[in-house]
Amino acid sequence: MREYILEHLKRYPMMEIADMVKLLYQSEFGGGHMIKNPAASLERLERECQGLELGQGPMRWEKIGNHMGRLFLQGMSEHISLETVNRFFVNSARRVNASEKVFEGKLELLVEMCREGSLPFECRELEDWLDVYREKGYPLIRHSDTYRRLYHPSYRVISEDYLQYLDLFESIDSRLEKNRPLILAVDGRCGSGKSWLARLLSGIYPSSVIHMDHFFLRPVQRTEERLKEAGGNIDYERFMEEVVKPLKSGENVLDYRRYDCVSGEFSEQIRVRMKDLVIIEGTYSCHPRFCGCYDVKVFLDISPEEQKERILKRNGAYMLSRFVNEWIPKEETYFDTFGIRKTCDLIFKEDV
């Protein structure tokens, strides 16, 4: 938290004690105090944005610690809807896992930094201020008059989960149309968070999700010739027939058979009803055979070191060796052969 405090002090040198405590409060408790219900929250957001020139702010967002950030309303692109921003805000508030004990530790850090000379406050003044604040039960506080006059704060406190994908949300919002689903592919290296991103998007938009894992080759299809083929590790014939063709024809419902990698057989029949956003997630989703049906293509990247660490944690040592020796080389051949990264509209690399 120390680095965030110093960073904000450098950016806003006229911060007062109240502004510093507000920063710590938001990093721990988020912004849920403003939400009585989502509709009222949206109305307040719309009122606050009236008169703002969207996209004209000096920056889009800033980190405040604890995987939270401030999304600046004036810095927002005009391509992202206020309904989407409000969903970020509401969902972030609901997911906050705050601790008064941890917050108290952050306040003690302020005192420590003041004593060592890192903050521009008199230590006695800070300690007296915090004593009164504690007696009041750690209430939410406003920015100081000085801060509001100099820096004109207008923002929402939102999880970094959403903030790091702002370009994607803007791309989706700018393309969404009534009575037609937007079809999105999420490809990328294993362990990069493709399924996680699909769940994140599903929490913002009414979504239908189709997993490429359900279309791996059956044992009878794993011929030597097929396994040598770049991108041949997926049953692209069945995916074309059961997913791509129905999507292209505009069908409202599609049915496909789920392949179970553990049993090596088909399991249940999956029925997918088309919603506003249709997400095809998984490696091989951007195979050239399928790309004609997508509106937006996303590639998720990750470093080899972080990739192995995640797979080990998720799948264990034995499966990690199989990924490293069998599946990752096939994925890399597919990426390189078809230039998958270059064909995608947006590329995100995990920030670790």
Side-chain angles (χ1 to χ4, degrees):
M1 197 65 217
R2 177 186 293 266
E3 64 182 284
Y4 294 110
I5 294 172
L6 294 176
E7 181 180 325
H8 278 253
L9 185 59
K10 182 178 180 180
R11 189 175 298 147
Y12 312 105
M14 299 304 292
M15 288 180 76
E16 298 184 5
I17 293 174
D19 305 304
M20 197 69 72
V21 173
K22 187 176 183 70
L23 170 68
L24 301 183
Y25 185 99
Q26 290 176 336
S27 74
E28 186 62 26
F29 299 104
H33 58 280
M34 297 174 64
I35 305 177
K36 294 182 179 180
N37 62 67
S41 173
L42 178 59
E43 289 178 5
R44 177 169 180 165
L45 178 62
E46 290 171 340
R47 287 197 304 270
E48 193 168 342
C49 286
Q50 288 177 357
L52 290 179
E53 295 184 28
L54 299 184
Q56 301 301 309
M59 60 192 303
R60 301 171 77 192
W61 64 282
E62 64 184 5
K63 296 182 178 183
I64 62 173
N66 196 28
H67 205 65
M68 301 294 287
R70 290 170 175 170
L71 174 64
F72 295 100
L73 301 185
Q74 192 167 353
M76 292 189 315
S77 165
E78 62 272 20
H79 299 301
I80 192 166
S81 75
L82 294 184
E83 289 83 358
T84 296
V85 172
N86 190 57
R87 292 187 199 112
F88 294 163
F89 183 49
V90 172
N91 290 354
S92 298
R94 289 173 176 170
R95 293 164 56 186
V96 166
N97 185 18
S99 164
E100 189 173 289
K101 182 178 180 180
V102 173
F103 179 55
E104 177 59 40
K106 293 179 180 180
L107 297 181
E108 292 173 359
L109 175 62
L110 277 187
V111 176
E112 178 185 328
M113 293 177 68
C114 190
R115 288 173 178 168
E116 68 187 26
S118 299
L119 301 181
F121 311 127
E122 292 289 338
C123 291
R124 185 72 260 171
E125 178 191 11
L126 174 61
E127 291 171 355
D128 289 346
W129 197 102
L130 292 178
D131 285 343
V132 173
Y133 182 66
R134 292 184 179 106
E135 289 176 4
K136 293 180 178 179
Y138 306 103
L140 172 70
I141 54 178
R142 290 168 54 86
H143 279 297
S144 68
D145 291 340
T146 300
Y147 191 100
R148 283 187 277 120
R149 185 180 70 254
L150 293 176
Y151 307 121
H152 311 289
S154 181
Y155 57 77
R156 289 295 182 273
V157 177
I158 288 169
S159 168
E160 282 189 42
D161 289 344
Y162 300 111
L163 296 172
Q164 64 184 320
Y165 291 108
L166 276 182
D167 288 343
L168 175 56
F169 288 108
E170 291 172 8
S171 181
I172 292 171
D173 279 5
S174 67
R175 289 174 168 85
L176 280 174
E177 301 176 11
K178 292 183 178 179
N179 303 319
R180 177 187 176 274
L182 180 76
I183 304 175
L184 168 73
V186 181
D187 207 324
R189 292 183 163 86
C190 58
S192 59
K194 299 180 292 296
S195 298
W196 179 89
L197 179 56
R199 290 193 294 271
L200 187 75
L201 292 169
S202 297
I204 300 297
Y205 307 101
S207 302
S208 310
V209 181
I210 299 171
H211 304 282
M212 292 303 298
D213 286 358
H214 296 172
F215 292 87
F216 280 121
L217 293 178
R218 290 167 288 149
V220 69
Q221 297 173 296
R222 297 173 194 167
T223 64
E224 182 178 355
E225 181 180 6
R226 181 59 174 261
L227 293 178
K228 287 182 179 179
E229 180 184 341
N233 202 39
I234 202 77
D235 190 346
Y236 47 71
E237 296 93 345
R238 186 166 67 89
F239 190 80
M240 285 290 298
E241 191 65 31
E242 298 183 355
V243 176
V244 175
K245 286 185 178 180
L247 287 177
K248 283 187 173 182
S249 65
E251 295 184 22
N252 293 323
V253 177
L254 63 83
D255 295 280
Y256 69 85
R257 296 162 292 169
R258 174 180 176 270
Y259 173 68
D260 186 338
C261 294
V262 176
S263 67
E265 298 177 350
F266 288 125
S267 59
E268 75 273 20
Q269 190 84 356
I270 303 286
R271 168 157 287 194
V272 180
R273 299 185 183 278
M274 299 299 98
K275 297 182 181 179
D276 293 353
L277 180 65
V278 177
I279 305 168
I280 314 295
E281 73 84 15
T283 309
Y284 305 108
S285 59
C286 287
H287 194 291
R289 292 173 180 262
F290 316 144
C291 283
C293 77
Y294 299 137
D295 298 295
V296 182
K297 293 177 290 182
V298 176
F299 188 91
L300 300 188
D301 208 346
I302 189 171
S303 70
E305 297 75 21
E306 179 67 15
Q307 181 184 49
K308 291 176 184 177
E309 185 176 326
R310 285 190 177 183
I311 295 171
L312 177 62
K313 184 177 180 179
R314 183 184 69 187
N315 302 101
Y318 170 72
M319 293 303 291
L320 172 61
S321 67
R322 294 203 64 184
F323 271 96
V324 170
N325 296 312
E326 298 178 47
W327 300 316
I328 291 178
K330 292 184 183 301
E331 292 181 358
E332 294 301 321
T333 297
Y334 155 72
F335 297 142
D336 293 341
T337 300
F338 298 116
I340 297 301
R341 286 178 105 262
K342 294 181 180 179
T343 67
C344 288
D345 303 291
L346 295 166
I347 299 173
F348 297 95
K349 186 165 185 177
E350 183 70 16
D351 182 15
V352 295

